[in-house]
């Protein structure tokens, strides 16, 4: 056992004395030590139920012959952090979570791990850590929130942000906004649409690191507790068979995840997190090849904010495995990949049929023949940019308009809510990338304001920052290189024409090469917005969005 390094032999007598201080018995120490990584806290709605999940996991581990030991991981609520300095601290926690979990797991020599995440950054952060640590590991999330109900319709957090925009436009009363406020988030759990948390929890299933239902069983269902017990049992079986994360999270598994991502219409943030996970297994990929996968993968789901269905509906329709089963009819998945069940993807999904073709479209009747995400390139984004094409209105798939340029999110929001943005405009928000932000803030407030003001089908927004999974419309993020390092987005001037063609995967600043070169020659780097603390260290080490905003030692290339 790996844990023998801290519990077996005369040299480990001091270590055993500390286990005695924990109240551990000899019998417990004779079993494999299983770390339970708990993201429980009392500030994130998606995490407030994780104490119950953790207790269920512990039961499963103990039933299967292991000794469960809990240690914590942090998590930020992106919704609460939205629209202020707090959002600079969201993406950056992904690496804190990975680093701290690596430190705890290796310092204490756990034999196996069960990861219990739920929200936006701690799911990918723990997947990154699992790849680094590489002991048998199973994931079980806290599950999605149930949809809210307002005026006879299902609603979610994105509806709430858009309601604020509608109030600013004078089309919704304060009383109606308050009703939304009180009803859109009715239970614990990760917010109920196909936002980043639910995207990553679903893709954890696809990667093979979570059991069936990990991404879709609602947080408040008792079935979620059963799932947690089975996760605890499963990790002990993985331990006995020595199945490890790098046996599961292979290049083929990540390509499976990217394929299902296209079918589900996941958050654009998955195009930050999948490259970061790939980086941990030694594979750095160019995000533009996502278009090759998109070109052959039908979009089968329109979950909120793209459509009127929610995670509970996907669960009832058969969940992620049912989507995978549909895709397998077109031979789009590698069915031989190993999973935490000890069986292959093909064996897992074999009998998981689609129970609701209105929620999961059959492959011969998709929402579109191409996937839910697109990577756009051109002279404005030479290294790529990302859009959730499944959430873009048909009339905005091709758009041309004047640039309205802002050097921070706050200025853009003020202009939108002040009525200074009109139909046809292309809002440009720059110096909000991984380095320039720093921290690559999400732009849910401006996209929701645009939608709430009734401009969602006539105004585009591009940024070197990123978007919440709750954003919809022609919202193009991750523009790379970012403005802070002299990317072309830094050279856009007020009134320039920007051409967007999502079907052709292009985004172009309509100026000559000579003019672009002249603007680049006179551009001067800006002083960092933050010069102390974690954000300053992060800005010094972070790479561009097209590489997943992974951290590298400056000048090392690794």
């Amino acid at each position: 056992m790996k844990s023998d390094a801290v519990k077996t032999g005369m040299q480990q007598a001091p270590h055993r004395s500390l286990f005695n201080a924990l109240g551990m018995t000899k019998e417990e120490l004779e079993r494999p030590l299983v770390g339970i990584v708990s993201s429980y806290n009392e500030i994130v709605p998606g995490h407030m139920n994780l104490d119950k999940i953790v207790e269920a996991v512990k039961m499963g581990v103990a039933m299967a012959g292991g000794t469960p030991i809990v240690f914590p991981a942090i998590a930020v609520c992106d919704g609460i952090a939205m629209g202020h300095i707090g959002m600079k601290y969201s993406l950056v926690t992904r690496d804190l979570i990975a680093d701290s979990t690596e430190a705890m797991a290796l310092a204490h020599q756990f034999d196996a791990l069960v990861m219990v995440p739920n929200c936006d950054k701690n799911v990918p952060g723990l997947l990154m850590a699992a790849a680094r640590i590489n002991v048998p590991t199973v994931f079980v999330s806290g599950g999605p929130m149930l949809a809210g109900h307002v005026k006879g319709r299902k609603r979610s957090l994105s509806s709430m942000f858009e309601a604020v925009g509608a109030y600013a436009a004078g089309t919704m009363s304060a009383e109606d906004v308050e009703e939304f406020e009180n009803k859109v988030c009715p239970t614990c759990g990760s917010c109920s649409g196909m936002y980043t948390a639910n995207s990553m929890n679903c893709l954890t299933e696809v990667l093979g690191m979570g059991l069936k239902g990990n991404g879709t069983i609602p947080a408040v269902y008792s079935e979620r507790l059963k799932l947690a017990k089975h996760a605890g049992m499963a990790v002990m079986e993985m331990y006995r068979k020595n199945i490890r994360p790098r046996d599961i999270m292979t290049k083929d598994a990540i390509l499976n995840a990217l394929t299902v991502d296209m079918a589900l219409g996941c958050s654009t943030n998955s195009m930050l997190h999948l490259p970061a996970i790939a980086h941990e297994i030694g594979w750095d990929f160019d995000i533009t090849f996502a278009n090759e996968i998109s070109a052959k993968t039908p979009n089968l789901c329109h979950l909120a904010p793209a459509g009127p269905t929610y995670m509970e509906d996907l669960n009832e329709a058969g969940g992620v495995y049912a989507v995978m089963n549909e895709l397998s009819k077109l031979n789009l998945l590698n069915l031989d990949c190993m999973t935490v069940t000890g069986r292959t993807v093909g064996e897992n999904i074999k009998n998981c049929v689609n129970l609701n073709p209105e929620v999961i479209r059959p492959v011969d009747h998709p929402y579109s023949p191409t996937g839910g995400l697109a990577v756009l390139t051109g002279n404005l984004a030479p290294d790529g940019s990302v859009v959730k094409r499944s959430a873009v209105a048909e009339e905005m798939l091709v758009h041309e308009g004047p640039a309205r340029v802002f050097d921070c999110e706050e200025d853009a929001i003020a202009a939108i809510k002040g009525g200074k943005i009109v139909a046809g405009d292309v809002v440009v928000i720059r110096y909000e990338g991984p380095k320039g932000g720093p921290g690559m803030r999400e732009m849910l407030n401006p996209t929701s304001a645009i939608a709430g003001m009734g401009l969602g089908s006539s105004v585009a927004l591009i940024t070197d920052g990123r978007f919440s999974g709750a954003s919809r419309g022609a919202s193009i993020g991750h523009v790379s290189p970012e403005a802070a390092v002299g990317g072309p987005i830094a050279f856009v001037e007020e009134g320039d024409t920007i051409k967007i063609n999502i079907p052709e995967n292009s985004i172009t600043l309509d100026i000559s090469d000579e003019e672009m070169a002249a603007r680049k020659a006179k551009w001067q780097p800006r002083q960092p917005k933050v010069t102390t603390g974690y954000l300053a260290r992060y800005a010094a080490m972070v790479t561009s969005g097209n590489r997943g905003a992974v951290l590298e030692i400056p000048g090392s290339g690794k």
Side-chain angles (χ1 to χ4, degrees):
M1 284 186 281
K2 187 180 182 74
S3 61
D4 285 347
V6 295
K7 66 184 186 183
T8 301
M10 183 56 66
Q11 291 299 315
Q12 282 64 44
H15 304 70
R16 289 194 297 274
S17 71
L18 293 168
F19 282 111
N20 286 332
L22 292 170
M24 283 201 178
T25 64
K26 180 181 178 183
E27 291 80 4
E28 285 175 295
L29 289 177
E30 288 172 348
R31 296 180 171 195
L33 301 185
V34 181
I36 314 299
V37 187
S38 172
S39 300
Y40 170 75
N41 63 51
E42 295 183 342
I43 187 62
V44 184
H47 292 224
M48 62 180 286
N49 65 319
L50 295 190
D51 55 341
K52 306 294 189 299
I53 302 295
V54 166
E55 288 303 314
V57 170
K58 289 172 66 177
M59 176 71 76
V61 168
M63 288 169 63
T67 297
I69 304 171
V70 180
F71 66 88
I74 64 167
V76 164
C77 177
D78 277 25
I80 295 174
M82 195 71 64
H84 56 89
I85 191 174
M87 184 44 67
K88 293 180 185 290
Y89 285 92
S90 171
L91 178 61
V92 305
T93 64
R94 185 187 70 184
D95 296 272
L96 277 177
I97 291 160
D99 292 350
S100 60
T101 302
E102 174 193 358
M104 287 293 288
L106 296 181
H108 301 102
Q109 293 291 287
F110 288 105
D111 296 297
L113 297 167
V114 180
M115 308 291 198
V116 188
N118 210 28
C119 287
D120 292 23
K121 307 311 167 302
N122 74 326
V123 181
L126 290 178
L127 285 165
M128 291 162 66
R132 287 184 204 171
I133 300 161
N134 203 37
V135 298
T137 303
V138 176
F139 277 65
V140 56
S141 78
M145 185 183 292
L146 294 177
H149 292 263
V150 184
K151 302 187 186 303
R153 289 180 57 191
K154 284 186 177 181
R155 300 285 191 172
S156 62
L157 183 65
S158 53
S159 308
M160 183 70 254
F161 278 89
E162 291 177 15
V164 175
Y167 175 77
T171 58
M172 184 177 285
S173 69
E175 290 75 20
D176 283 339
V177 173
E178 185 177 8
E179 183 179 2
F180 272 75
E181 184 180 326
N182 290 325
K183 294 181 178 179
V184 296
C185 297
T187 72
C188 63
S190 49
C191 297
S192 55
M194 187 54 81
Y195 310 145
T196 305
N198 292 327
S199 294
M200 292 310 301
N201 281 326
C202 287
L203 296 184
T204 297
E205 276 190 64
V206 184
L207 285 168
M209 291 298 294
L211 300 176
K212 181 178 184 291
N214 177 72
T216 59
I217 298 171
V220 295
Y221 284 12
S222 297
E223 191 67 25
R224 175 66 54 181
L225 297 176
K226 294 182 183 179
L227 183 73
K229 291 173 186 174
H230 282 132
M233 298 177 203
V235 82
M236 294 307 302
E237 188 64 20
M238 288 180 69
Y239 172 77
R240 283 185 278 271
K241 293 180 178 179
N242 196 30
I243 299 173
R244 298 167 182 250
R246 288 184 210 161
D247 301 324
I248 296 170
M249 287 192 286
T250 61
K251 179 178 178 179
D252 285 334
I254 291 171
L255 291 175
N256 278 351
L258 193 52
T259 299
V260 178
D261 187 325
M262 296 296 177
L264 286 171
C266 290
S267 163
T268 52
N269 283 315
S270 63
M271 293 299 288
L272 283 175
H273 301 322
L274 288 177
I277 295 163
H279 181 75
E280 296 294 342
I281 65 165
W283 178 40
D284 288 334
F285 67 75
D286 182 345
I287 63 168
T288 57
F289 79 74
N291 288 332
E292 299 175 25
I293 292 177
S294 179
K296 60 186 179 182
T297 306
N299 178 225
L300 305 182
C301 299
H302 266 192
L303 296 149
T309 53
Y310 293 81
M311 296 305 297
E312 62 204 66
D313 302 311
L314 178 59
N315 187 61
E316 295 300 321
V320 174
Y321 278 15
V323 175
M324 295 174 74
N325 197 4
E326 284 289 340
L327 293 174
S328 71
K329 297 173 184 177
L330 299 178
N331 297 315
L332 293 175
L333 299 175
N334 186 319
L335 301 181
D336 295 327
C337 292
M338 180 51 61
T339 73
V340 294
T341 65
R343 298 185 295 275
T344 65
V345 168
E347 291 171 319
N348 284 345
I349 69 174
K350 185 175 180 180
N351 297 312
C352 297
V353 298
N354 181 0
L355 301 176
N356 189 339
E358 296 301 313
V359 176
I360 304 171
R361 290 278 185 91
V363 289
D364 58 1
H365 181 54
Y367 281 101
S368 73
T370 54
L373 297 179
V375 176
L376 312 184
T377 55
N379 70 346
L380 188 53
D383 293 339
S385 59
V386 182
V387 64
K388 188 172 183 175
R389 63 179 297 161
S390 60
V392 178
E394 185 73 23
E395 56 269 35
M396 288 298 290
L397 290 173
V398 178
H399 181 75
E400 178 178 328
R404 304 298 309 279
V405 184
F406 304 93
D407 287 349
C408 67
E409 177 188 10
E410 289 82 359
D411 290 351
I413 293 171
I416 296 164
K417 291 186 175 180
K420 296 178 181 179
I421 303 302
V422 299
D425 284 348
V426 179
V427 176
V428 177
I429 305 177
R430 62 193 181 190
Y431 295 100
E432 289 285 7
K435 285 185 181 292
M440 204 178 188
R441 288 194 288 180
E442 285 186 342
M443 302 291 162
L444 180 55
N445 274 340
T447 58
S448 298
I450 286 170
M453 297 285 282
L455 298 171
S457 59
S458 61
V459 168
L461 194 157
I462 69 173
T463 181
D464 53 7
R466 61 194 178 91
F467 293 107
S468 165
S471 292
R472 61 187 176 96
S475 304
I476 301 161
H478 309 192
V479 171
S480 301
E482 62 174 292
V485 298
I489 192 172
F491 315 144
V492 181
E493 296 180 359
E494 186 79 9
D496 282 348
T497 297
I498 293 176
K499 297 179 178 180
I500 299 164
N501 191 319
I502 295 173
E504 294 186 2
N505 303 316
S506 70
I507 182 167
T508 306
L509 180 61
D510 192 20
I511 61 174
S512 68
D513 291 346
E514 292 76 15
E515 176 62 18
M516 182 75 85
R519 293 183 186 183
K520 182 175 182 178
K522 68 180 183 181
W523 176 80
Q524 293 293 321
R526 299 194 171 196
Q527 289 298 313
K529 294 177 183 176
V530 179
T531 57
T532 60
Y534 177 53
L535 288 179
R537 295 196 301 275
Y538 180 88
M541 297 178 69
V542 71
T543 63
S544 184
N546 68 300
R547 295 190 55 209
V550 297
L551 300 186
E552 289 183 345
I553 300 169
S556 71
K558 61 184 179 180

